[in-house]
Amino acid sequence: MSLLSAFLQVLFDRMARPEFLNLFRNRTTDDDLLRKLKRNLHTIGAVLDDAENKEIRNQSVKKWLEELHDTFYQAEDLLDRINTETLRIKIETEYQSTTSTWKSDKFLRKIMSEIETIVEDLEGYIEQINPLGLQVIQSRIQSHQQYETPLVDETAIFGRDADKEKIIQMLLSEDANGDNIIVVLIVGMGRLGKTTLARIVYKDLRVEVSFPTRAWVSISEEYDATRITKELLRELDISFVDSDNLSSLQWKLRAGLTEKKFLLVLDDVWNSNYNQWDNLRSPFYGGSRGSKIIVTTWDQNVARMMAKERSIYHLDLIAEEDCRSLFKKHAFENRDANENAELELIGNKIVKKCGGLPLAVKTVAGILHSRTTPEEWEEILISEEWTQMDNQNGPIPALRLSYIHLPSHLKRCFAYCAVFPKDYQFRKEGIIQLWQANDLLGYPGEEKRFEKKGEKCFHELIMRSLFHQSTDHTFSMHDLVNDFDRLQFYHLFYY
């Protein structure tokens, strides 16, 4: 249900289109009803943020939102039909000297009766606003509309210098037993920054020099040896015939790795089936001595199955001091340090609630980056969302807070990304084009505004840690963020 405020903006955008307005021009009675529809939608929209905050704890508010959801969909269907009618009129005007006025009149008579029903339904919801205790929340949207964020430097990590050096030592050291291939496991609970740490190690100059042949593949939940092998071949720039014959693909990979010192990264491995791992790694044995494989996983069973105990590196929570440094970088960037004393005190209390999890720290810092008053920071500190924090769900409260405090147009853009599978790599230009094609940035005829607005949306989602940079040119969502995004759609369509 938390997408309703974003969904409402879609209705406003469609009602603002010139074609829509022209259809009702010079029809005074109809125009009055439309103004009433807009007024009712605006009244409800003003309290939606508050309602979405309270629906988890208040069943009456939750029921109000569920019923409102159906009415909004009726309104969207109605506006779709109006847009179809405006398109018909436009085509007839272009190819005929006259248009069928009687068709438009008949259509409008029918549609206005439906609009009247929706207006009456909305008035019923408005009558429940005060009894439900819903209030208007304005500052949250205003604080983001005038803010344009810079791209976050994903290579800056805090509290992981010692971890980085130890892993690099494990990669550069020779195995005393003479094994050709050594698997180095980075294991730890979700959201600790295993992938970020592996990426920093992977890009270190010492590692680049020591391993001329390198490749990175994201594994995730859906284990598919054929897909993994193909991605390794592409990463290593080894030509192959694109087929599903795993055996032939593995022969190609083995030939490409023979007598080469390589470093492979298998990121986010879930599969603990030894036979499948043994089959996947068979092409790797062609590499020269000193070749390494980095594997990241949250599962101790996967770690023990894939590597010897001495090659397993257990990643811990980052220290509170490092959490504060990470928070300050993302929350206070481009601000005068002298202005931050009071906010820092509140920020330190917020950092404690993040429990040493980097993703939680960055996500909350992203919310506060554009907020300048102690009152706004206190609002985050005392939020009831923190009561959901535990060792299992980690930064879920931080993600929830970040999502709640997004303006409606950003909620739409973020929610659209739920269609992407885990570890999907996308380019900034591509995602902006998809947002535009799905009517999330405006309406036709404003292409220049699309690009500028899309850039702002993209950068804001990066600042919130809802997107992160995967390579120099591609971006993705953390698995947890992807799960959270899909959850929003689940609530929207199934509750």
Side-chain angles (χ1 to χ4, degrees), residues 27 30 102 104-114:
R27 300 178 66 93
D30 294 349
W102 67 271
S104 293
D105 290 340
K106 182 179 179 182
F107 171 81
L108 287 173
R109 282 196 299 272
K110 181 181 179 185
I111 215 75
M112 294 314 294
S113 66
E114 295 182 36

Side-chain angles (χ1 to χ4, degrees), residues 157-175:
I157 59 174
F158 293 84
R160 296 300 186 200
D161 290 341
D163 299 308
K164 171 188 170 183
E165 290 304 318
K166 288 177 182 176
I167 292 171
I168 289 177
Q169 288 175 18
M170 294 169 75
L171 294 178
L172 301 184
S173 63
E174 295 292 334
D175 183 59

